[in-house]
Amino acid sequence: MEKNLWKHIETVRTQSPLVHNITNFVVMNNTANALLAVGASPIMAHAHPEVQDMVSICQALVINIGTLNDYWVRSMLLAAEKANQLGKPWVLDPVGAGATNYRNHTLSALLSYKPTVIRGNASEILALAKANTTPTKGVDSTAESSEAIEAAKLIAEKYDTLVCISGKTDIIVGKGAIISLDNGDALMTKVTGLGCSATAVIGAFIAAIDNKLEALTAATALFSICGQLAAKQSAGPGSLQVNLLDKLHNISEEEFWQTLKIA
Amino acid sequence: MEKNLWKHIETVRTQSPLVHNITNFVVMNNTANALLAVGASPIMAHAHPEVQDMVSICQALVINIGTLNDYWVRSMLLAAEKANQLGKPWVLDPVGAGATNYRNHTLSALLSYKPTVIRGNASEILALAKANTTPTKGVDSTAESSEAIEAAKLIAEKYDTLVCISGKTDIIVGKGAIISLDNGDALMTKVTGLGCSATAVIGAFIAAIDNKLEALTAATALFSICGQLAAKQSAGPGSLQVNLLDKLHNISEEEFWQTLKIA
Amino acid sequence: MEKNLWKHIETVRTQSPLVHNITNFVVMNNTANALLAVGASPIMAHAHPEVQDMVSICQALVINIGTLNDYWVRSMLLAAEKANQLGKPWVLDPVGAGATNYRNHTLSALLSYKPTVIRGNASEILALAKANTTPTKGVDSTAESSEAIEAAKLIAEKYDTLVCISGKTDIIVGKGAIISLDNGDALMTKVTGLGCSATAVIGAFIAAIDNKLEALTAATALFSICGQLAAKQSAGPGSLQVNLLDKLHNISEEEFWQTLKIA
C-alpha cells in the first residue's frame, strides 16, 4: 500500500471531491482552507431543511462535534443517516468524548450510522470504547496513542470502521491492520483545530479513493508530513498555521517520500 | 468613472463607515478583517431583538447566506426589511444559490427587499435568474462569468439592482452599463471565503459613496488587484490570505493604477 | 507587583490551565490560538445540557457577548451562575455595551454573577456604568481610556470586580489601585478581535494565579507587549495577526522587560 500513497494525493487533486462538513465554529475557516489546499471542494451547511440534500450532492461527509448543541446534533444525525442510506463515506471526529454525558450520548447516536472512519486523540478513543480510565482534560489528550490501541481495535470491530488515533505517533487501526505514522511536530499542538482539519482532509480522501484504509493512511501521512515541514519554517504557531496551508498546496512528491516515516 | 476609483478608496478610509454583517460562520473573521483593512468598521449581530437596531446605527448592511438556518434567515429578513425601510444600501451574497430549494426560497424572500447590489459567481447568478441550466457544484462555480451576463441583466432589471459576477474576469452589470475587470489570480480560488470578503468590502463602498455603480466598481477593482498583488508574493493559499489583508491595508495609488485592467 | 509579572507568565505556561470560552463567532479561532500560544488549554462549549459540566472541569471561564442571541445568552447565564457558585474566576467582555437595549439587559443579568474581571474599551465601560454620554460607534470605541476611569471605579466598587479599560493606554482599576500600561500599537485596532483575545488571555491568568490584580496586569502587559513587538515586524494587519501568535508563544523575558511601560 505504501507505494500508492502519493498516487492517492494526486487523485484528490485531480478529482476535487465535494466534501460536506458539519463541524465546529472554532475551526470552520481552517478546515475549509485545508480542504481547498489539498485540492478538494468544501461545503458547510447544517439547516435541517437542506442538510440531507447537501449530503446527496457531495462525495463524502465530515462530522465534528466540537461545539455541538441540540440544533446541530439534529443536523449531524440527519446528515449521517442520509450518508448511511446512500452508502456515502463519512468520517467522525469525536471532539471531547468523555468530557460530558451530553457528548457521550450524541456519539452513541452518531455511531449507529456507521462512520467509515473515526479520528480522535487517545483520550477520545478510550472514552468512545468506554474503556476510559484516563481523565479527559477538555479537548486535549492526556493519554498516549499507544494506550488507545486496544480501545481502537474494539471500536473498529464493533462498528465495522477504521480508527485513526492522532498523537505524537498517529496510529491507524482496522480490519486486522495496524499502521504507525511517525511524522508531525510538537508545535502542531499549539495551533487550534489541526486535528479537526486532519479529519476534514480524511473526508476528501475517502471521497475520492475506493480503498478506505489506503485513503485514510494517505490523508494522515500528508497532513502530518506537511505539518512537520511547515513547522521547520515557522517562528511559532501563527506562522505554522499559514505555512501548513501553503505546504498542503505545494508539497512535492520528493518532499513527501523523503519525510514519510511509516511502519 | 474610471478616474474616480482611487478617490473612492480614499473616501472609505477617511469616512470609516460602520458596516453591519450577517454572514456565514466560515468567513466571519476574514470578512471583519477585510473590512478593517480597507478602513471600514465591521459589526456582526444577528439576535432578533437587536438586529434592526443595529441596521439603524450602520451605514450599510451585508447579507451572506452561506451557513443559513431558520434563526439566521429570520435575522436576515428582519435586517433587510429595516434597510429597505430606511433606504440604507445593502448587498446580498447568494452563496450556493441553486444548490437546494431551501436556499432558493430564502433568496426569493430576501430579493423582495431590493438589495442595492448582488454579488455571486456565475452559477449563482444563473440560478438566481432561474435560467440555471448549469449544474451547481456546491458553492464553487462551474460556469464562466460571461455565460451569466444575460442572467445578470434580467436580475438587474427585475429587482432594480446592480449585479457583480465574480470569476476569472469580474463583470458588473446594471442600468445599461457593463464593466469588465480583469484582475485577480487563480490562487484566490484556493482560499475560502474571498468572495464573501469581496462582498463585505462592497458593503463598505456603497455605505460611503453615493454613486453605487462607481462604489461597486471601486470595491471590486480594489479587492481583485490586492489579491493579484498578494498572490505574487505568496507561496500558497495560507500566505495569500495574510498578504491580501496586508495589501488591502497598504496598497498605494501607484500600485492601484499600474495593476488595474478595466474595460 | 511589577517584579512578579514575568513569573506569572511562566506560571501560566507551566500550569496550562483549562479555560472555558463562551465567545463570539468572529474570534473563536484567534481566541483559542491566543490561549494555546500563552500555554493555556482552551475549550469552547455552549450547549445547555453540558455548559455547567464544562465550567466544573475548567479553571476559569471567559464570557464575550459579541454575537449573542437568546440561546447563547442562556448558555452564558448558566455558565456564569455555575462559576459563581463554585467560586471559579471568570472574565466578562461586554462587546458593544450601549449599542442596543438587548446588550444592556444581557449585561445586567451577567453582572449579577459577579465577574472577577471586566475588560472593555472606554465606550463599553462608560455604557456599563450607565454614565455613557459618548455615542457608541458599533463595537469600536469613540472615547479615550482616561475618560472612563471614573466609570470603571464605580463598576469596580458596585460589583466588587477588577476593570481593564483597553485603548492606546490600557488602564486597570480596582480595590484602590490604578495601573497604566503604555504598550501596544495602533495597527492592533486593524485586526478584528484582538480585544477579545486579550480577554481570553486574562482568563488564563486569573485561572492560574491567586492574586487577581497581578494576574490581570501580567496578562494585559503580555498581550500589549507582544502586539507591539509583532507590529514592528508586520507589513499590515494580516501579518500582525500571525506575528502576534508567534510572539505570544516565543517572547523572552528580556524582550518583556525591555518593552514594558507600566505606571
Side-chain angles (χ1 to χ4, degrees):
Chain A
M1 83 124 78
E2 190 182 328
K3 66 179 186 340
N4 292 330
L5 297 179
W6 182 258
K7 191 185 68 185
H8 295 325
I9 291 165
E10 289 186 321
T11 299
V12 170
R13 288 181 182 173
T14 314
Q15 288 194 14
S16 190
L18 193 55
V19 181
H20 182 188
N21 299 269
I22 305 179
T23 187
N24 71 71
F25 298 124
V26 185
V27 303
M28 284 191 188
N29 187 266
N30 317 46
T31 294
N33 276 327
L35 284 167
L36 286 167
V38 301
S41 190
I43 198 159
M44 309 235 167
H46 67 290
H48 299 172
E50 72 169 2
V51 72
Q52 294 199 327
D53 294 350
M54 285 298 187
V55 173
S56 302
I57 63 170
C58 288
Q59 278 83 60
L61 170 68
V62 176
I63 292 182
N64 174 308
I65 67 162
T67 55
L68 74 185
N69 68 27
D70 288 355
Y71 189 93
W72 285 77
V73 168
R74 182 88 191 115
S75 306
M76 292 173 195
L77 291 170
L78 285 168
E81 181 196 42
K82 192 72 179 179
N84 179 259
Q85 217 173 76
L86 299 175
K88 301 216 174 185
W90 71 283
V91 52
L92 173 64
D93 194 328
V95 179
T100 64
N101 286 332
Y102 184 58
R103 285 176 191 248
N104 294 343
H105 292 147
T106 299
L107 288 168
S108 295
L110 284 168
L111 285 168
S112 70
Y113 295 115
K114 294 185 166 270
T116 314
V117 174
I118 300 169
R119 199 209 67 88
N121 62 38
S123 297
E124 290 160 352
I125 299 302
L126 285 161
L128 268 192
K130 308 199 187 231
N132 190 1
T133 53
T134 313
T136 294
K137 186 192 174 191
V139 295
D140 296 324
S141 186
T142 53
E144 292 295 322
S145 302
S146 55
E147 298 175 44
I149 292 180
E150 290 310 311
K153 282 182 185 167
L154 266 168
I155 295 166
E157 180 79 20
K158 186 167 173 190
Y159 300 105
D160 187 25
T161 185
L162 301 171
V163 178
C164 175
I165 312 164
S166 64
K168 198 171 170 320
T169 300
D170 297 317
I171 298 171
I172 291 167
V173 174
K175 332 262 170 193
I178 296 188
I179 297 162
S180 292
L181 288 159
D182 231 340
N183 291 106
D185 189 286
L187 190 59
M188 293 174 79
T189 64
K190 296 297 178 188
V191 180
T192 196
L194 289 198
C196 306
S197 292
T199 298
V201 169
I202 291 167
F205 278 69
I206 58 174
I209 292 147
D210 284 337
N211 184 322
K212 302 311 179 197
L213 182 64
E214 291 194 8
L216 171 55
T217 307
T220 305
L222 175 64
F223 200 87
S224 295
I225 286 172
C226 288
Q228 182 177 327
L229 294 171
K232 270 188 208 159
Q233 307 171 261
S234 300
S239 36
L240 174 53
Q241 185 162 23
V242 172
N243 292 332
L244 172 55
L245 289 173
D246 284 357
K247 191 47 74 188
L248 286 169
H249 178 74
N250 66 26
I251 186 174
S252 69
E253 185 172 359
E254 203 186 342
E255 286 177 303
F256 180 80
W257 292 122
Q258 282 182 348
T259 316
L260 179 67
K261 283 198 187 171
I262 191 170
Chain B
M1 81 124 81
E2 191 183 326
K3 65 179 187 337
N4 292 330
L5 297 179
W6 181 258
K7 191 185 67 186
H8 295 325
I9 291 165
E10 289 185 323
T11 300
V12 170
R13 288 181 182 171
T14 314
Q15 289 194 15
S16 190
L18 193 55
V19 181
H20 180 189
N21 300 268
I22 305 180
T23 188
N24 71 72
F25 298 124
V26 185
V27 304
M28 284 190 189
N29 187 266
N30 316 46
T31 294
N33 276 327
L35 284 168
L36 286 166
V38 301
S41 191
I43 197 159
M44 309 236 167
H46 67 289
H48 299 171
E50 73 170 1
V51 72
Q52 295 200 326
D53 294 350
M54 285 295 187
V55 174
S56 303
I57 62 171
C58 288
Q59 279 84 60
L61 170 68
V62 176
I63 292 183
N64 174 308
I65 66 163
T67 55
L68 75 184
N69 67 27
D70 289 356
Y71 189 93
W72 285 78
V73 169
R74 182 88 192 116
S75 305
M76 292 173 196
L77 291 171
L78 285 167
E81 180 195 42
K82 192 72 179 181
N84 180 259
Q85 217 173 77
L86 299 174
K88 300 216 175 183
W90 72 282
V91 52
L92 173 64
D93 194 328
V95 179
T100 64
N101 286 332
Y102 184 58
R103 284 174 193 249
N104 294 343
H105 293 149
T106 299
L107 288 168
S108 295
L110 284 168
L111 285 168
S112 70
Y113 295 115
K114 296 186 162 269
T116 314
V117 175
I118 300 169
R119 199 210 66 90
N121 62 38
S123 297
E124 289 159 352
I125 298 302
L126 285 162
L128 267 192
K130 306 202 187 227
N132 189 0
T133 54
T134 311
T136 295
K137 187 191 173 191
V139 295
D140 296 324
S141 186
T142 54
E144 292 294 322
S145 301
S146 56
E147 298 175 41
I149 292 180
E150 290 311 310
K153 282 182 187 169
L154 266 168
I155 295 167
E157 180 78 19
K158 186 168 173 190
Y159 300 104
D160 188 25
T161 185
L162 301 171
V163 178
C164 176
I165 312 164
S166 63
K168 199 171 168 323
T169 301
D170 296 318
I171 298 172
I172 290 168
V173 174
K175 331 264 168 187
I178 295 189
I179 297 162
S180 292
L181 289 160
D182 233 339
N183 291 108
D185 188 287
L187 190 60
M188 293 173 78
T189 65
K190 297 297 178 189
V191 180
T192 197
L194 289 197
C196 307
S197 291
T199 298
V201 169
I202 291 168
F205 278 70
I206 59 174
I209 293 147
D210 285 337
N211 183 322
K212 301 311 176 196
L213 182 64
E214 291 194 9
L216 171 55
T217 307
T220 305
L222 175 65
F223 200 87
S224 295
I225 286 171
C226 288
Q228 182 177 328
L229 295 171
K232 271 188 206 156
Q233 307 170 259
S234 299
S239 36
L240 174 53
Q241 186 161 24
V242 171
N243 292 332
L244 172 56
L245 290 172
D246 284 357
K247 190 48 72 188
L248 286 169
H249 178 74
N250 66 26
I251 187 174
S252 68
E253 185 172 359
E254 201 187 345
E255 286 177 301
F256 180 81
W257 292 121
Q258 282 181 349
T259 317
L260 179 67
K261 282 197 188 173
I262 191 170
Chain C
M1 79 125 80
E2 191 183 327
K3 66 179 184 345
N4 293 330
L5 297 179
W6 182 258
K7 191 185 67 185
H8 295 324
I9 291 164
E10 289 186 322
T11 300
V12 170
R13 289 181 182 172
T14 314
Q15 290 194 14
S16 189
L18 193 56
V19 181
H20 182 187
N21 299 268
I22 305 180
T23 187
N24 71 72
F25 298 125
V26 185
V27 304
M28 284 189 191
N29 187 267
N30 317 46
T31 295
N33 276 327
L35 284 167
L36 285 167
V38 301
S41 190
I43 197 159
M44 308 236 167
H46 67 290
H48 299 170
E50 72 170 2
V51 72
Q52 295 199 326
D53 293 349
M54 286 297 188
V55 173
S56 303
I57 64 171
C58 288
Q59 278 84 60
L61 171 67
V62 176
I63 291 183
N64 173 308
I65 66 163
T67 55
L68 74 184
N69 67 27
D70 289 356
Y71 189 92
W72 285 77
V73 168
R74 182 86 192 117
S75 305
M76 292 171 195
L77 291 170
L78 285 167
E81 180 195 43
K82 192 73 179 178
N84 179 259
Q85 218 173 75
L86 299 175
K88 299 216 176 184
W90 72 282
V91 51
L92 174 64
D93 194 327
V95 179
T100 65
N101 285 332
Y102 184 58
R103 286 176 191 249
N104 294 343
H105 292 147
T106 299
L107 288 167
S108 294
L110 285 167
L111 285 168
S112 70
Y113 295 115
K114 295 187 165 268
T116 315
V117 175
I118 299 170
R119 198 210 67 90
N121 62 40
S123 297
E124 290 159 351
I125 298 303
L126 285 162
L128 267 193
K130 309 200 186 228
N132 189 0
T133 53
T134 312
T136 295
K137 186 189 173 195
V139 294
D140 296 325
S141 185
T142 54
E144 292 296 323
S145 302
S146 55
E147 298 176 42
I149 293 180
E150 290 311 309
K153 282 183 185 165
L154 266 169
I155 295 166
E157 181 78 20
K158 186 166 172 191
Y159 300 104
D160 188 25
T161 185
L162 301 171
V163 178
C164 176
I165 312 164
S166 64
K168 197 171 170 324
T169 300
D170 297 317
I171 298 172
I172 291 167
V173 174
K175 333 262 167 188
I178 296 188
I179 298 163
S180 292
L181 288 159
D182 232 340
N183 291 107
D185 188 287
L187 190 59
M188 294 174 78
T189 65
K190 297 296 178 189
V191 181
T192 196
L194 290 197
C196 307
S197 291
T199 299
V201 169
I202 291 167
F205 279 69
I206 58 174
I209 293 147
D210 285 338
N211 184 323
K212 302 311 178 195
L213 182 65
E214 291 194 8
L216 171 56
T217 307
T220 304
L222 175 64
F223 201 87
S224 295
I225 286 172
C226 288
Q228 181 177 329
L229 294 172
K232 271 187 206 160
Q233 307 170 261
S234 299
S239 37
L240 174 53
Q241 186 162 22
V242 172
N243 292 332
L244 172 55
L245 290 173
D246 285 356
K247 191 48 73 188
L248 286 169
H249 178 75
N250 66 27
I251 187 174
S252 69
E253 184 171 358
E254 202 186 342
E255 286 178 303
F256 180 81
W257 291 122
Q258 282 182 348
T259 317
L260 180 68
K261 283 197 186 172
I262 191 171

